Amino acid sequence: MVSIDTVYQKVLALANKEQRGYITPQDFNLFANQAQMEIFEQYFYDVNQASRQPGNDTSYSDMRTLLDDKIELFEQFQDVSFTSLFGALGVYNFDGATDDIYRVQMLTYEDLSVSQFPIIFEKVTEKEFWQMQQSPLTRPTANRPIYAQTAGFSWSFYTSVSPSRVRVTYIRKPEKVNWTYVVINKQAMYDANASTRNFELHPSEENQLVNKILRLAGISNEQPDIMRAGAVMDQTTTQQQPKI
């Protein structure tokens, strides 16, 4: 976790250097949430790139291990309810998925009459979902259930038994950050109350957050020196990170 007040104070200090400008709390919160999502989404691109490169046995310098540690902060699971779809035998729809899902990792269900371990659904396309049910050779079974993502984060799944519980394991989105404040003598002062929300990213991302917010502020306020300062520092930070 990264303190939102620490990031805001660093951003203000850099933006105010040589009278370059002031970033309001409202603008900061907007830029901060965009910067957090940029960094978060970059993780998955970097994982794809890292998986193509040979790793090493040193956990603190292996890029894939470092990325997995950052992503694990957002791993969640949730049991979901479901209903029969159009009365079709074994075909179900979830009754609404959680709103904070970013990427589904796995769907499972438990049936002790089939297996003592959770049974993992195989993900297929929606076309495959319906085609596989037409042939006895490809039709899903209790041991080999399937699911398809239909629209947004709604799913249909098929199994030859009626599962008592289906669990979705997923990566959730970071919660929106919020720098809360009170106005004292016409100055916005940090107020660490219940509505304050810090960045949920790994502590190592603090400098990147500062740099990206500066760049966004410079673009928004049409101040090229702030934008360039943020872009240069962001590039320097990226160069200092382990290469994939």
Side-chain angles (χ1 to χ4, degrees), residues 30-169:
L30 181 65
F31 302 146
N33 280 295
Q34 183 170 339
Q36 178 171 242
M37 281 304 298
E38 283 184 10
I39 294 171
F40 175 74
E41 290 174 343
Q42 183 67 30
Y43 290 160
F44 300 92
Y45 171 80
D46 289 342
V47 164
N48 183 50
Q49 295 297 103
S51 63
R52 302 177 185 180
Q53 303 295 329
N56 61 63
D57 296 330
T58 309
S59 60
Y60 58 79
S61 63
D62 180 70
M63 190 61 183
R64 181 58 191 266
T65 301
L66 295 174
L67 288 166
D68 287 343
D69 287 345
K70 293 177 179 182
I71 294 173
E72 282 174 4
L73 298 173
F74 301 95
E75 286 188 347
Q76 300 280 305
F77 66 85
Q78 181 174 325
D79 294 337
V80 293
S81 56
F82 48 90
T83 55
S84 179
L85 179 63
F86 308 132
L89 179 63
V91 183
Y92 303 87
N93 258 357
F94 292 122
D95 293 339
T98 180
D99 293 331
D100 65 346
I101 289 179
Y102 179 78
R103 181 168 297 188
V104 176
Q105 291 185 300
M106 182 171 57
L107 292 181
T108 59
Y109 80 95
E110 294 181 3
D111 188 331
L112 295 180
S113 65
V114 178
S115 171
Q116 59 179 321
F117 302 106
I119 299 168
I120 301 174
F121 285 81
E122 175 189 354
K123 184 177 182 179
V124 298
T125 66
E126 190 170 7
K127 181 180 179 180
E128 291 169 335
F129 180 83
W130 296 109
Q131 287 179 334
M132 291 173 71
Q133 297 170 52
Q134 306 307 311
S135 168
L137 296 177
T138 59
R139 185 173 298 138
T141 65
N143 278 312
R144 193 175 61 85
I146 62 172
Y147 85 97
Q149 185 175 315
T150 51
F153 283 109
S154 297
W155 306 285
S156 296
F157 67 91
Y158 184 104
T159 174
S160 60
V161 299
S162 178
S164 58
R165 182 182 72 179
V166 173
R167 171 166 290 183
V168 55
T169 303

Side-chain angles (χ1 to χ4, degrees), residues 200-234:
E200 293 192 292
L201 300 176
H202 192 274
S204 64
E205 307 294 7
E206 183 176 307
N207 287 340
Q208 257 207 98
L209 284 166
V210 172
N211 302 338
K212 287 183 179 295
I213 293 168
L214 278 174
R215 178 177 55 81
L216 292 168
I219 294 172
S220 175
N221 298 327
E222 297 183 348
Q223 294 176 300
D225 28 350
I226 295 180
M227 180 183 66
R228 282 195 299 269
V232 169
M233 289 187 291
D234 192 23

Side-chain angles (χ1 to χ4, degrees), residues 22 181-190:
Y22 175 73
Y181 64 98
V182 293
V183 178
I184 301 175
N185 295 328
K186 298 183 180 181
Q187 282 284 101
M189 305 297 293
Y190 180 56

